[in-house]
Amino acid sequence: MAGSTFGNIYRVTTWGESHGAALGAVIDGCPAGIPMSEEFIQEYLDRRKPGQSQFTTSRREGDKAEILSGIFDGVTLGTPISVLVRNSDQHSNDYSNIEHTFRPGHADLGFTEKYGFRDYRGGGRSSGRETIGRVIGGAIASEVLYKLGVSVKAYTRSIGPIEIRKYDETVMRSDPLCMPDADASREAQDYIAEKVRDHDSVGGIIECRIEGLPVGIGEPVFDKLDAELAKAVMSIGAVKGFEIGDGFAVARSLGSENNDAFYMKDGFVQKKTNHSGGTLGGMSDGDCLILRCAVKPTPSIAKEQKTVNDCGEEVNLKITGRHDPVIVPRAVVVVESMAAMTVLDMMLRNTSAKIDTIEKAYRNCR
Amino acid sequence: MAGSTFGNIYRVTTWGESHGAALGAVIDGCPAGIPMSEEFIQEYLDRRKPGQSQFTTSRREGDKAEILSGIFDGVTLGTPISVLVRNSDQHSNDYSNIEHTFRPGHADLGFTEKYGFRDYRGGGRSSGRETIGRVIGGAIASEVLYKLGVSVKAYTRSIGPIEIRKYDETVMRSDPLCMPDADASREAQDYIAEKVRDHDSVGGIIECRIEGLPVGIGEPVFDKLDAELAKAVMSIGAVKGFEIGDGFAVARSLGSENNDAFYMKDGFVQKKTNHSGGTLGGMSDGDCLILRCAVKPTPSIAKEQKTVNDCGEEVNLKITGRHDPVIVPRAVVVVESMAAMTVLDMMLRNTSAKIDTIEKAYRNCR
Amino acid sequence: MAGSTFGNIYRVTTWGESHGAALGAVIDGCPAGIPMSEEFIQEYLDRRKPGQSQFTTSRREGDKAEILSGIFDGVTLGTPISVLVRNSDQHSNDYSNIEHTFRPGHADLGFTEKYGFRDYRGGGRSSGRETIGRVIGGAIASEVLYKLGVSVKAYTRSIGPIEIRKYDETVMRSDPLCMPDADASREAQDYIAEKVRDHDSVGGIIECRIEGLPVGIGEPVFDKLDAELAKAVMSIGAVKGFEIGDGFAVARSLGSENNDAFYMKDGFVQKKTNHSGGTLGGMSDGDCLILRCAVKPTPSIAKEQKTVNDCGEEVNLKITGRHDPVIVPRAVVVVESMAAMTVLDMMLRNTSAKIDTIEKAYRNCR
Amino acid sequence: MAGSTFGNIYRVTTWGESHGAALGAVIDGCPAGIPMSEEFIQEYLDRRKPGQSQFTTSRREGDKAEILSGIFDGVTLGTPISVLVRNSDQHSNDYSNIEHTFRPGHADLGFTEKYGFRDYRGGGRSSGRETIGRVIGGAIASEVLYKLGVSVKAYTRSIGPIEIRKYDETVMRSDPLCMPDADASREAQDYIAEKVRDHDSVGGIIECRIEGLPVGIGEPVFDKLDAELAKAVMSIGAVKGFEIGDGFAVARSLGSENNDAFYMKDGFVQKKTNHSGGTLGGMSDGDCLILRCAVKPTPSIAKEQKTVNDCGEEVNLKITGRHDPVIVPRAVVVVESMAAMTVLDMMLRNTSAKIDTIEKAYRNCR
C-alpha cells in the first residue's frame, strides 16, 4: 500500500525509476470491448515527451509504449493491461554531483529519512518520468470516456504573470506551451526565455474542462467528485494548489452571487451560470466541470543555492544537467490523464447506486 | 464503497442523515492503549455545535456523544470505536417548502438523479450535520497524534475580504469566528452583520498548521501527503479550493524564490524558509505543514432565487428556516479533524516503509 | 484497517463487544430503492438469537434491531444504513474467574499479545455476539439479491457423526438444529444431549446453496468468487475448513470424473453434473453454487482443562456460565449472511466488466 | 478493481495472458532494505517451471525473471518492484480446435459471458501461467519473512489415494512430486503413470507449514489470519477446498479433544497439542501454522468429453496439446507463495495495533 495504485474500479498501478531499466503501468478493471492500440497510447505519451521545444529538457527518449497484456485483436480483454516504456537515454553520471546532497525543492531528504537511503539517479521515483505511467492510464481512460460521451481537455492557463485572454482549441494542441491563446503564448515564451538567461525557472496554472458528464457522478461524503479530483491532481509532483469552479474567489463572494440559478432547457435542468464549476455536494451537476491547479517553478535550477549534504555539512549547489525551465507544458497531459482516470473511476462506481440500473444490467442473463 | 469511509489504516466510517434518528461514526484501526472518554470527544463536538453565537444557526442540539464500543476502562481496546449522537431538535416541517424544489448551490439535483429520489429533510446526507462523524474521528485521531508529538490546529484566516494580520493562539479558541486576531474578528463580525441584513451570506478561508511531523510521512506517488490532505479537506461540503505552502502564489514565483534552502540546526536538517508548506515530493520535510482552503458562502439564503422544481417548472424560492450566514467558523474544527485523521493514517502507513523499523517491532516477540 | 469492514462495493462495517453498551453494523454502498424495515432485519436476527432451544445458551436478549439511518419511507436511500442492537442481559461477573486466565481454544492469548491487554468480558470482540453485525449486513444483502433473482440458503449438514440423508426445505427453518432432515435432527439431538451430560461440546458441518446466479460473477485471478466466499466463511469464528462443490473429494477424483459435461437446455449452456459446485475459474458457471464449512466444537466447556494465567502460572479451569454445547445451529444464519454479502458484492463489482453494460447504464442520462 | 491485486500493505498486482507477449508482477509496499536479485526470484520460478519431469507439460520456457524497477545496488528501494517474464514458447495454433468450444472444467463459458468474448489462446488469464506473477510476489515476500524469522514451506501431502507417511524435508525439494516421503512419491508416480495411459488426470492435497510467527498476527473479525489465507489459497486455480489445523475433522471432534491445553515453556505460553493449526480467534497462537488445500485433477484431458460450442451445438472434444496430468507438484510453490504474501501482509498490518509499537517507531525521529 505504498501508494503506487490509483483508483477503485478503474485501477492504475505505476512503477519505475527515472534511471532504471524501464517504467510502466498496469491498468486493472478496464471494461472489455474498448478499441486500443500502442499508437493511441503513443499519441498521449508524445504530448509529455521531452525534447519537443526549447522549453523542455533536451533529454531525448523514444518513450515508446509497448503493450504486454490485456489487449487482443485490437480490443481490451477486461484483463489487466500492462504497458512498458524502456528508458533509453540515461546519463546517470550527470547526477554524480548530487548523490550526497539534498537538493532544495526536491524530495531527497524525505526519501533518505523514509527508506534509509535513496536512488539518487535523477530523482528515482519522484522524477517527472514517473508520470509516464499516469499518461498511459489516462490515455486508456480517455478512450473509455469517449465511448460514454465524456471529453477531458487540459491546457495552460498562465505562465508566471501571463494569463490567457481567450480559449481557442485549435491553437492549444500545437502550441509549444499548450496555451489556447497564441498571443499570450508568445508573451509567455519571451518571459521564460528571460528567466532562463537568469538560470532561473518559472511556474504557472493548468486548467482542465470535462464535458458530457451525467448528473450525480461522485459520492456524497468523503469520496466527492471534487475531492477525488483534488487528490488526483495534487498527487502530480510540483502541484501546490487545486480549485474547482470559482475556487479561492468564493471566499470573497456572496451567496447570492455564488449560487447558480437553475432553469429548464430542452427538458433538462440547467444552470444559468457555472460558479460551482460543475459539482454540487460532491456530485456532478450536469454542467462543464472546470478545475485548475498551480504548478511550482522547476526546483532544479542552474543558479547557485545553499543546502546541506548527507554528512550534515552546509554546501553550495549549482544543478547542471538537462532540466525544463518550466514544468507546466509537459504537465498538461498529466493533469488531463489524472482527471480522466478519476472521472472514469467515479462513473464506474456510480453504476451500483440505483437498484433499477443493476436490475437492467442483469435482466437478460438467464 | 459509496464513499462513507475515510482512511486506510486509521479508518473512519460515518453515517446519518440530518433529520434521521441519529448520526455517528465507527473508527476502526485505532491503536490500543489510548486514553479516551466521551468528555474528550464532546469538547471537539462542542466546537462545531450550532447555537453558539449570532453567526450560527439557532437550531439547538445537545449533540451529545455516546460511546458504544471500543473503549473499556477509559482506554481504547484496538477494536472499532462506535460513537453515536442522537438528533434531538428536528423541525422537519421547516423543509416542506423545498421538498419538491432544487435549491441553488445544493446537491438536491445530484441526489435525485443518482438515487432516483432524495431525503429532502434538511439535506439528508449532504447536510452540515454529516460532519459530526468527521469531528468524532478527528478528536480521537488528535489524541493519538498527541502521543506521537504531533499537533494540528485550524483557524479562520479570512471572512469575505477581511484577513487576519496576526496569529494569537490564545484568542483563537474563544473567538466567535475562530480568528487568531481579535481586531480582524471584530471587522469580520461587522461585515457579516451587514450581509445578514441583506438576506445574504459570506465565505472565507480556513488555515491549518500541523507541527511535530517526522520527515518522510506520505507516499511518493499517488498517495502524497499533500494529495491525501487535499482529498480530505475538499471532501468537506462547501470547500472549493485547497493549497499548501505558497499554494497558488507559486504560479508567479521563480525557482530561486520558491526553493527553500536547507541548513543545519541542532544536528537536524532544517529549512530557512517554508514556501513548500512542509511537504516536498509528497512527503513531510520536517517543517510546519501549512494548508489553506476556501469555503463558499452558505447557499441557503433568505433572498429570493430562481430555480426549478421536480416537475420541471421554473419557480422562485426564498429559503426560510435556520441557517448560518457563514459556514467558516463551524467548519474550522472539521478541517482540523480531517487533517488529523489524514496525518495519523499516513503515519501509521509509514511504519512499514523500512525493514529496520519492522524488525524492531517484532524483536521481542519470541 | 483493523479488519472490521467486509466487501468492496457493498461494504459492511461491524462494531461492538459482547459486554459493551451495544453492537451494530454500518452498511455502505447498498443500492437505493430497496424496501427495508426493522421487522425484516429482526427475522434474520431471531434466527441467531440465544435461548431458543435446549441447545443454545440460556442468555436471553431481545437483540432488537434499531435502524438509525439510510432508510426513509421504508426504502433504502443509497446512504449508509446504521443498525444498532443494545446489549441488555449482561452478566459480566460471570467472567470474573477467567479475567486472568487464557481459555483453551479461545483468542485470549492473541488479544493480550496484540493489543497489550484485553476486554475479558465474555470474549469482547471475539465473542459470538460479534456476528450480530454480520447478520444485519446479510439480511439487507439477501433482500437486494431477491430483487436480482438470487437466493441463498444455509442449513446444518451434520452434527458430530450424524449427517443428513435428505433435503427437506420445509423442515429446515423450524428444526431446532436447522437440519433439513427431521430424522437426522432427532439423532443429532440425542447425540448432543449425551455429550452435554459429559460436560463436553460437539462440532458439525454447515452447507449453503446459492441459486439464480448469472454466469460470470467473480474475478478471474485473486478475487475469484470461491476465494471471496472462502474468506467470508472462514472469517466466522470456529470455522476451520471450507470447500466448494466436491471439495476435498477432488483430491482422489480423476479428470474424467470431475469435469462436468456441458449440454444445451432451453437455449442455455447447462452442466450435466455439478462437481464444480457452481464455479469454474473463479467465476459462477450458471449452476447452483454449493459450499460447506466445518465448525469446531464450542471451546467453552464445563469439563476441567489445563491452562495458564497471565502471570505465567499453570492452572486448572472449569468454564461455568452460559454456553451453547454446539455452535452449528446458530451459525447457520451467519454462514448464509456472509455468503449473501459476498455474492451481492461480487455482482455489483461485475457491472463494470463490459462496456456495453456501462453504456446502457448511462444511455438515457442526457 | 477487477481483482488482479492481492494484499493491503504488501501488495502484489499480476498481469499477463498465457499467450501474450509477457507476464509479470508489480510489488508495491515492500519494505526498503531487503537484499534481492533476479537469481533469487529465478529459484522460485524454476520450482513451477514446466518441462521438469515426465509429470509436467513438455512446453519448455525459459521463464526468465527480469527486474525492471524497485531494486538498486542489490537492495529493495521501497518503491514498486516490477518483474517481467517473456513468453517464449507459444504454440497458439495448438488451441485452434478449442477456439469456439467451451472446455469442461474450464472458465471459457464464464469469460464469454462476463466480457462478451474471450482470449481463447491457452486459457488467457485463467491459464496456469498466471501463477508466475504470484510466485514472483511470493519469492520476495519469503525473503522479507526470512529477515523477520518466519519460514513458509509447502509440499505435496497426497496424490490421488496415496498419502505421505513421513515428513523428510531433505527429500521434499528434489522429489519430482514435491513429496517429503520418497516411498510415497514412487507409489504416486506409478499411480499417475497408470492414469496417463488412460488419457486421464489426477488430483491431490498440498500442505503448508509456517513457522516462527509471533502471537497475535491476524485481525479479529473479517480479516482473520485463517480467512485471509483461505482466500489466498482458494484463489489458485483448481483449488476446491481449504482447511487449517484439524480442518474438516473438527466436525466430528469434541471440545475436550479439540481444545489445545496451554502450558509454560522457557517463559512462553505454549500449546501441548496443535489441533488449532496455529490460529485461535483469527490470530496466530504462537504454534506452527498448518494449512491444507485440495487440488482438482487437470481438466484438460485427452479422453473424449461431451460439451457445446459457442454456436450452441453439442460436440465431442479431445483436448490435445501439452498438459500436466497432475497440477499438484507445480502448484506447491504457488501455495507457498500465496501463504508467504498473506502472512507478510498481515505482519505489516499488525505493526499499528499497539500505541507502544508506534511510539517506538517514531521515537528517534526528531
Side-chain angles (χ1 to χ4, degrees):
Chain A
M1 209 222 297
S4 297
T5 298
F6 185 85
N8 287 281
I9 306 279
Y10 182 83
R11 206 174 238 184
V12 178
T13 300
T14 71
W15 54 270
E17 285 81 44
S18 59
H19 286 65
L23 300 102
V26 180
I27 293 98
D28 200 22
C30 181
I34 305 288
M36 188 48 53
S37 67
E38 288 177 352
E39 292 67 35
F40 182 84
I41 295 170
Q42 196 62 48
E43 273 181 51
Y44 277 77
L45 282 178
D46 287 351
R47 290 172 58 196
R48 72 159 291 292
K49 210 164 57 173
Q52 300 197 114
S53 79
Q54 53 174 316
F55 306 115
T56 56
T57 159
S58 57
R59 172 171 169 164
R60 279 175 192 286
E61 302 214 346
D63 281 357
K64 210 178 137 6
E66 184 187 353
I67 295 175
L68 298 175
S69 72
I71 289 160
F72 181 49
D73 283 347
V75 168
T76 58
L77 282 168
T79 59
I81 303 167
S82 179
V83 184
L84 173 147
V85 170
R86 293 264 168 199
N87 280 323
S88 50
D89 178 18
Q90 304 161 19
H91 291 224
S92 286
N93 49 346
D94 278 13
Y95 295 93
S96 55
N97 71 319
I98 54 149
E99 179 172 347
H100 299 293
T101 310
F102 300 125
R103 291 167 296 166
H106 277 280
D108 301 341
L109 176 65
F111 270 97
T112 304
E113 286 292 321
K114 188 184 192 79
Y115 298 117
F117 51 86
R118 68 184 159 105
D119 178 358
Y120 51 84
R121 303 164 302 167
R125 188 71 176 143
S126 66
S127 153
R129 283 189 69 70
E130 171 266 321
T131 60
I132 284 176
R134 299 176 185 240
V135 173
I136 292 166
I140 298 170
S142 296
E143 185 68 5
V144 185
L145 287 173
Y146 174 78
K147 286 279 274 181
L148 300 172
V150 178
S151 80
V152 182
K153 280 176 199 150
Y155 48 89
T156 301
R157 186 183 168 88
S158 69
I159 296 283
I162 295 117
E163 198 159 332
I164 55 168
R165 275 96 59 185
K166 62 178 179 188
Y167 179 74
D168 181 347
E169 274 195 27
T170 61
V171 167
M172 197 161 98
R173 287 285 160 96
S174 57
D175 183 72
L177 297 176
C178 303
M179 283 178 130
D181 175 344
D183 294 332
S185 178
R186 263 186 302 272
E187 293 167 38
Q189 292 172 45
D190 290 346
Y191 175 78
I192 299 170
E194 181 198 323
K195 298 305 168 191
V196 167
R197 280 192 297 272
D198 298 345
H199 304 299
D200 217 328
S201 62
V202 306
I205 289 175
I206 296 171
E207 192 165 73
C208 184
R209 290 172 185 236
I210 305 168
E211 288 183 277
L213 268 184
V215 177
I217 305 300
E219 302 304 321
V221 182
F222 295 117
D223 298 353
K224 290 187 162 77
L225 180 56
D226 25 1
E228 296 287 0
L229 285 165
K231 177 181 165 174
V233 172
M234 289 290 299
S235 80
I236 303 170
V239 173
K240 300 298 283 185
F242 173 89
E243 57 181 19
I244 202 145
D246 283 6
F248 273 86
V250 299
R252 291 165 180 250
S253 184
L254 299 176
S256 59
E257 295 164 356
N258 188 250
N259 283 350
D260 301 306
F262 288 116
Y263 73 112
M264 293 303 295
K265 190 180 162 194
D266 307 332
F268 286 100
V269 181
Q270 306 274 319
K271 286 156 50 205
K272 286 197 181 145
T273 49
N274 190 14
H275 297 290
S276 76
T279 68
L280 284 170
M283 294 174 282
S284 55
D285 64 13
D287 217 327
C288 175
L289 196 145
I290 299 176
L291 63 87
R292 269 177 303 281
C293 66
V295 180
K296 75 176 184 182
T298 321
S300 291
I301 53 174
K303 232 178 201 171
E304 190 171 84
Q305 302 179 83
K306 292 190 180 305
T307 188
V308 302
N309 64 22
D310 54 17
C311 303
E313 298 161 337
E314 304 194 347
V315 296
N316 288 336
L317 175 73
K318 281 186 192 182
I319 297 175
T320 55
R322 301 154 303 171
H323 299 284
D324 295 341
V326 59
I327 294 165
V328 175
R330 291 181 59 198
V332 162
V333 68
V334 184
V335 170
E336 191 175 301
S337 293
M338 293 307 301
M341 283 159 52
T342 307
V343 162
L344 174 59
D345 191 40
M346 298 310 277
M347 285 184 76
L348 296 181
R349 283 177 69 173
N350 192 54
T351 54
S352 58
K354 233 187 303 194
I355 187 67
D356 296 356
T357 311
I358 304 160
E359 278 189 286
K360 215 189 297 172
Y362 287 113
R363 192 155 301 153
N364 299 316
C365 279
R366 292 209 61 130
Chain B
M1 210 221 298
S4 298
T5 299
F6 184 86
N8 287 279
I9 307 278
Y10 183 83
R11 206 175 237 183
V12 178
T13 301
T14 69
W15 55 269
E17 285 81 45
S18 58
H19 286 66
L23 301 103
V26 180
I27 293 98
D28 200 21
C30 182
I34 305 288
M36 189 48 53
S37 67
E38 288 177 352
E39 292 67 37
F40 183 84
I41 295 170
Q42 196 64 46
E43 274 181 49
Y44 277 76
L45 282 177
D46 287 351
R47 289 172 59 198
R48 70 159 294 291
K49 211 164 57 172
Q52 300 197 113
S53 79
Q54 54 174 314
F55 306 114
T56 55
T57 159
S58 57
R59 172 171 170 165
R60 281 178 189 285
E61 303 214 345
D63 280 357
K64 206 174 143 8
E66 184 186 355
I67 295 176
L68 298 175
S69 72
I71 289 159
F72 182 49
D73 282 348
V75 168
T76 58
L77 283 167
T79 58
I81 303 167
S82 178
V83 184
L84 171 149
V85 170
R86 293 265 168 198
N87 281 321
S88 51
D89 178 18
Q90 304 161 19
H91 291 223
S92 287
N93 50 344
D94 279 12
Y95 295 92
S96 54
N97 71 319
I98 53 149
E99 180 172 348
H100 299 293
T101 310
F102 300 126
R103 290 167 298 165
H106 277 281
D108 301 340
L109 176 65
F111 270 97
T112 304
E113 287 291 323
K114 189 183 192 79
Y115 297 118
F117 51 86
R118 67 182 159 106
D119 177 359
Y120 52 83
R121 302 164 303 165
R125 187 71 176 142
S126 65
S127 152
R129 283 188 69 69
E130 171 265 322
T131 61
I132 284 177
R134 299 175 185 241
V135 173
I136 293 167
I140 298 171
S142 296
E143 185 67 6
V144 185
L145 288 174
Y146 174 79
K147 287 278 274 179
L148 300 172
V150 178
S151 80
V152 183
K153 281 176 198 151
Y155 47 89
T156 300
R157 187 184 167 88
S158 70
I159 295 283
I162 295 118
E163 197 159 332
I164 55 169
R165 275 97 59 184
K166 62 178 177 190
Y167 177 74
D168 182 348
E169 273 194 28
T170 60
V171 166
M172 196 161 100
R173 286 285 160 95
S174 57
D175 183 72
L177 296 177
C178 302
M179 283 179 130
D181 176 344
D183 294 333
S185 178
R186 264 186 301 274
E187 294 168 38
Q189 292 173 43
D190 291 345
Y191 175 77
I192 299 169
E194 182 198 323
K195 298 305 169 190
V196 167
R197 282 191 295 272
D198 298 345
H199 304 299
D200 218 327
S201 62
V202 307
I205 289 175
I206 296 171
E207 192 165 74
C208 184
R209 291 172 184 234
I210 305 168
E211 289 184 276
L213 268 183
V215 177
I217 305 300
E219 303 304 322
V221 182
F222 294 118
D223 298 353
K224 288 187 164 77
L225 180 56
D226 26 0
E228 296 288 0
L229 284 166
K231 176 180 165 175
V233 172
M234 289 290 298
S235 79
I236 304 170
V239 173
K240 301 297 284 185
F242 173 90
E243 59 181 18
I244 202 144
D246 283 6
F248 274 87
V250 299
R252 290 164 180 250
S253 184
L254 299 175
S256 59
E257 296 163 357
N258 189 250
N259 284 351
D260 301 307
F262 288 116
Y263 75 111
M264 293 304 295
K265 191 181 161 192
D266 306 333
F268 287 99
V269 182
Q270 305 274 319
K271 287 156 50 205
K272 286 199 182 145
T273 49
N274 191 14
H275 296 291
S276 75
T279 68
L280 283 170
M283 293 175 282
S284 55
D285 65 13
D287 217 328
C288 175
L289 197 146
I290 300 176
L291 64 85
R292 270 176 302 282
C293 66
V295 180
K296 75 177 186 181
T298 322
S300 292
I301 52 174
K303 233 178 201 171
E304 190 171 85
Q305 301 179 85
K306 291 189 180 305
T307 189
V308 301
N309 63 22
D310 54 18
C311 304
E313 298 160 338
E314 305 193 348
V315 295
N316 288 336
L317 174 73
K318 282 187 194 181
I319 297 175
T320 56
R322 300 154 305 170
H323 299 284
D324 294 341
V326 58
I327 293 165
V328 174
R330 292 180 60 197
V332 162
V333 69
V334 184
V335 169
E336 192 175 300
S337 293
M338 293 307 301
M341 284 159 52
T342 306
V343 163
L344 174 58
D345 191 41
M346 297 310 277
M347 285 184 75
L348 297 181
R349 284 177 67 173
N350 192 55
T351 54
S352 58
K354 233 187 301 194
I355 187 66
D356 296 356
T357 311
I358 305 160
E359 277 188 287
K360 212 187 301 172
Y362 288 113
R363 192 156 300 156
N364 299 316
C365 279
R366 296 205 59 129
Chain C
M1 208 221 301
S4 298
T5 298
F6 183 85
N8 287 281
I9 306 278
Y10 182 83
R11 207 176 237 184
V12 178
T13 301
T14 69
W15 54 269
E17 286 80 47
S18 59
H19 286 65
L23 300 102
V26 180
I27 293 98
D28 201 21
C30 181
I34 305 289
M36 188 48 53
S37 66
E38 288 177 353
E39 291 67 35
F40 183 85
I41 296 170
Q42 195 63 48
E43 274 181 49
Y44 278 76
L45 282 178
D46 287 350
R47 289 173 58 197
R48 72 158 290 292
K49 212 164 56 173
Q52 300 197 114
S53 79
Q54 52 173 317
F55 307 114
T56 56
T57 158
S58 58
R59 172 170 169 166
R60 279 177 191 286
E61 302 214 345
D63 280 358
K64 207 176 142 7
E66 184 186 356
I67 295 175
L68 297 175
S69 73
I71 289 159
F72 181 48
D73 283 348
V75 168
T76 59
L77 282 168
T79 58
I81 303 168
S82 178
V83 184
L84 173 148
V85 170
R86 293 265 168 199
N87 281 322
S88 50
D89 178 19
Q90 304 160 19
H91 291 224
S92 287
N93 49 347
D94 278 13
Y95 295 93
S96 54
N97 71 319
I98 54 149
E99 180 173 348
H100 300 291
T101 309
F102 300 126
R103 291 167 297 166
H106 277 281
D108 301 340
L109 177 65
F111 270 97
T112 304
E113 286 292 321
K114 189 184 193 78
Y115 298 118
F117 51 87
R118 67 183 160 106
D119 178 358
Y120 51 83
R121 302 164 303 166
R125 188 69 176 144
S126 66
S127 152
R129 284 189 68 69
E130 172 267 322
T131 60
I132 284 177
R134 299 176 185 240
V135 173
I136 293 166
I140 298 171
S142 297
E143 184 68 4
V144 185
L145 287 173
Y146 175 78
K147 286 278 275 180
L148 299 172
V150 178
S151 80
V152 182
K153 280 175 199 151
Y155 48 89
T156 300
R157 186 183 167 90
S158 70
I159 296 282
I162 295 118
E163 197 159 334
I164 54 168
R165 274 97 59 184
K166 62 180 177 185
Y167 178 73
D168 181 348
E169 274 194 28
T170 59
V171 167
M172 196 161 99
R173 286 286 161 94
S174 57
D175 183 72
L177 297 176
C178 303
M179 283 179 130
D181 175 344
D183 295 332
S185 179
R186 263 185 302 272
E187 294 168 37
Q189 291 173 44
D190 290 345
Y191 176 77
I192 299 170
E194 182 197 324
K195 299 305 170 192
V196 168
R197 280 191 296 272
D198 298 345
H199 304 298
D200 218 326
S201 62
V202 307
I205 289 175
I206 296 172
E207 192 164 73
C208 183
R209 291 173 183 234
I210 305 167
E211 289 184 276
L213 268 184
V215 177
I217 305 301
E219 302 303 321
V221 182
F222 295 117
D223 297 353
K224 289 187 163 77
L225 180 55
D226 25 0
E228 296 287 0
L229 284 166
K231 177 180 164 173
V233 171
M234 289 289 299
S235 79
I236 303 170
V239 173
K240 300 298 283 186
F242 174 90
E243 58 181 17
I244 203 146
D246 282 6
F248 272 87
V250 298
R252 291 165 180 250
S253 183
L254 299 176
S256 59
E257 295 164 356
N258 189 250
N259 284 350
D260 300 306
F262 288 116
Y263 73 112
M264 294 303 295
K265 189 179 162 194
D266 307 334
F268 287 99
V269 181
Q270 306 274 321
K271 287 157 49 205
K272 284 199 184 146
T273 50
N274 191 14
H275 297 290
S276 75
T279 68
L280 283 171
M283 293 174 282
S284 55
D285 65 12
D287 217 327
C288 176
L289 196 146
I290 299 176
L291 64 86
R292 268 175 305 281
C293 66
V295 181
K296 76 176 184 182
T298 321
S300 292
I301 52 174
K303 232 178 200 170
E304 190 171 84
Q305 301 180 83
K306 291 190 180 305
T307 188
V308 303
N309 63 22
D310 53 18
C311 303
E313 298 160 338
E314 305 194 347
V315 295
N316 289 335
L317 175 72
K318 282 187 192 180
I319 297 175
T320 54
R322 300 154 305 171
H323 300 284
D324 295 342
V326 58
I327 293 165
V328 175
R330 291 180 60 199
V332 163
V333 68
V334 183
V335 170
E336 191 175 303
S337 292
M338 292 309 300
M341 283 159 53
T342 306
V343 163
L344 174 59
D345 192 39
M346 298 310 278
M347 285 184 76
L348 297 181
R349 285 178 67 173
N350 192 55
T351 54
S352 57
K354 234 188 302 195
I355 187 66
D356 296 357
T357 310
I358 304 160
E359 277 189 288
K360 213 188 299 170
Y362 287 114
R363 193 156 297 154
N364 300 316
C365 278
R366 293 209 59 131
Chain D
M1 207 221 301
S4 298
T5 299
F6 184 84
N8 287 280
I9 306 278
Y10 182 83
R11 208 176 237 183
V12 178
T13 301
T14 70
W15 55 269
E17 285 81 45
S18 59
H19 285 66
L23 300 103
V26 180
I27 294 96
D28 201 21
C30 182
I34 305 289
M36 189 48 53
S37 67
E38 287 177 353
E39 292 67 36
F40 183 85
I41 295 170
Q42 195 63 47
E43 274 180 49
Y44 278 76
L45 282 178
D46 287 350
R47 290 172 58 197
R48 71 158 292 294
K49 213 164 55 173
Q52 300 197 113
S53 79
Q54 53 173 319
F55 307 114
T56 56
T57 158
S58 57
R59 174 170 168 165
R60 281 177 190 284
E61 304 214 344
D63 280 357
K64 208 176 139 9
E66 185 187 353
I67 295 176
L68 298 175
S69 72
I71 289 158
F72 181 50
D73 283 347
V75 168
T76 58
L77 283 168
T79 59
I81 303 168
S82 178
V83 184
L84 172 149
V85 170
R86 292 263 169 201
N87 281 322
S88 50
D89 178 19
Q90 304 160 20
H91 291 224
S92 286
N93 50 346
D94 279 13
Y95 294 93
S96 54
N97 71 320
I98 53 150
E99 180 172 349
H100 299 292
T101 310
F102 300 124
R103 291 167 298 165
H106 277 280
D108 301 341
L109 176 66
F111 270 96
T112 304
E113 287 292 321
K114 188 183 192 80
Y115 297 118
F117 51 86
R118 67 183 161 105
D119 178 358
Y120 51 83
R121 302 163 304 165
R125 187 70 176 143
S126 65
S127 153
R129 284 190 68 69
E130 171 266 322
T131 61
I132 284 176
R134 299 176 185 240
V135 173
I136 294 166
I140 298 171
S142 296
E143 185 66 5
V144 185
L145 287 173
Y146 175 78
K147 287 276 276 180
L148 299 173
V150 178
S151 80
V152 183
K153 281 174 197 149
Y155 47 88
T156 300
R157 187 184 167 88
S158 69
I159 296 282
I162 295 118
E163 197 158 335
I164 56 169
R165 275 97 56 185
K166 62 179 177 189
Y167 178 74
D168 181 348
E169 273 195 28
T170 60
V171 167
M172 196 160 99
R173 285 285 160 94
S174 56
D175 183 72
L177 297 176
C178 303
M179 282 177 131
D181 175 344
D183 295 331
S185 179
R186 263 186 302 273
E187 294 167 37
Q189 292 173 44
D190 291 344
Y191 176 77
I192 298 170
E194 180 198 324
K195 299 305 170 191
V196 167
R197 280 192 296 273
D198 298 345
H199 305 298
D200 218 327
S201 62
V202 307
I205 289 175
I206 296 171
E207 192 165 73
C208 184
R209 291 173 183 234
I210 305 167
E211 289 184 275
L213 267 184
V215 177
I217 305 300
E219 303 303 322
V221 181
F222 295 117
D223 298 353
K224 289 188 163 77
L225 180 55
D226 27 359
E228 296 288 0
L229 285 165
K231 177 180 164 173
V233 172
M234 289 290 299
S235 79
I236 304 170
V239 173
K240 301 297 283 185
F242 173 91
E243 59 181 16
I244 202 146
D246 283 6
F248 273 87
V250 298
R252 289 166 180 249
S253 184
L254 299 176
S256 59
E257 296 164 355
N258 188 250
N259 284 349
D260 301 307
F262 289 116
Y263 73 112
M264 294 304 296
K265 191 181 162 193
D266 306 333
F268 287 100
V269 181
Q270 306 274 320
K271 287 156 50 204
K272 286 199 182 145
T273 49
N274 191 14
H275 297 290
S276 75
T279 68
L280 284 171
M283 293 174 283
S284 55
D285 65 14
D287 217 327
C288 175
L289 196 146
I290 299 175
L291 64 85
R292 270 175 303 280
C293 67
V295 180
K296 74 176 186 182
T298 321
S300 292
I301 52 175
K303 231 178 202 171
E304 190 170 84
Q305 302 179 84
K306 292 189 179 305
T307 187
V308 302
N309 63 22
D310 54 17
C311 304
E313 298 161 338
E314 304 194 348
V315 295
N316 289 336
L317 175 73
K318 282 185 191 181
I319 297 175
T320 56
R322 302 154 303 170
H323 299 284
D324 295 341
V326 58
I327 293 164
V328 174
R330 292 180 59 198
V332 163
V333 68
V334 183
V335 170
E336 190 175 302
S337 292
M338 292 307 301
M341 284 159 53
T342 306
V343 163
L344 174 58
D345 191 40
M346 297 311 277
M347 285 185 76
L348 296 180
R349 285 177 67 172
N350 192 55
T351 55
S352 57
K354 235 188 300 195
I355 186 67
D356 295 357
T357 311
I358 304 160
E359 277 188 286
K360 213 188 300 172
Y362 287 113
R363 192 156 299 155
N364 299 316
C365 279
R366 297 205 55 130

